[in-house]
Amino acid sequence: MSRVTPHQLAAALGLPPPTDEQAAVIAAPAGPTLVVAGAGAGKTETMAARVVWLVANRQVLPEQVLGLTFTRKAAQQLTSRIRTRLARLSG
């Protein structure tokens, strides 16, 4: 099965490319993952990209994903980013 890379997915969605560290998280093997990063490091962006990458590569269905964040603001941003990008992919 051909896999879409994080960089290819970002380009297809018209988004800035992920850093090498973000791309490693986005395309990490399935399983529980802990990512520790400081404020403004792109955690919410990376989480959104990971979900969209998993869906684009047919590893999960959108309804199989649970995203946990520490703030309501981050949860709203995460939801909005994922829904918008999945809509772009399907259209």
Side-chain angles (χ1 to χ4, degrees), residues 19-34:
T19 65
D20 289 342
E21 292 85 2
Q22 289 169 326
V25 170
I26 293 165
T33 303
L34 172 65

Side-chain angles (χ1 to χ4, degrees), residues 46-68:
T46 303
M47 286 177 65
R50 168 88 171 149
V51 171
V52 174
W53 181 85
L54 288 167
V55 173
N57 283 291
R58 300 173 191 239
Q59 294 187 26
V60 299
L61 297 172
E63 58 270 17
Q64 293 175 311
V65 177
L66 172 65
L68 301 175

Side-chain angles (χ1 to χ4, degrees):
M1 167 172 68
S2 177
R3 289 173 52 151
V4 177
T5 69
H7 290 92
Q8 290 169 331
L9 187 57
L13 293 170
L15 300 170
T19 65
D20 289 342
E21 292 85 2
Q22 289 169 326
V25 170
I26 293 165
T33 303
L34 172 65
V35 177
V36 179
K43 293 177 297 295
T44 303
E45 176 61 31
T46 303
M47 286 177 65
R50 168 88 171 149
V51 171
V52 174
W53 181 85
L54 288 167
V55 173
N57 283 291
R58 300 173 191 239
Q59 294 187 26
V60 299
L61 297 172
E63 58 270 17
Q64 293 175 311
V65 177
L66 172 65
L68 301 175
T69 66
F70 286 103
T71 67
R72 286 188 181 106
K73 180 181 175 185
Q76 291 168 342
Q77 290 176 349
L78 183 63
T79 299
S80 176
R81 291 176 191 187
I82 292 170
R83 286 184 177 161
T84 300
R85 293 169 191 184
L86 290 178
R88 277 192 228 159
L89 280 180
S90 68

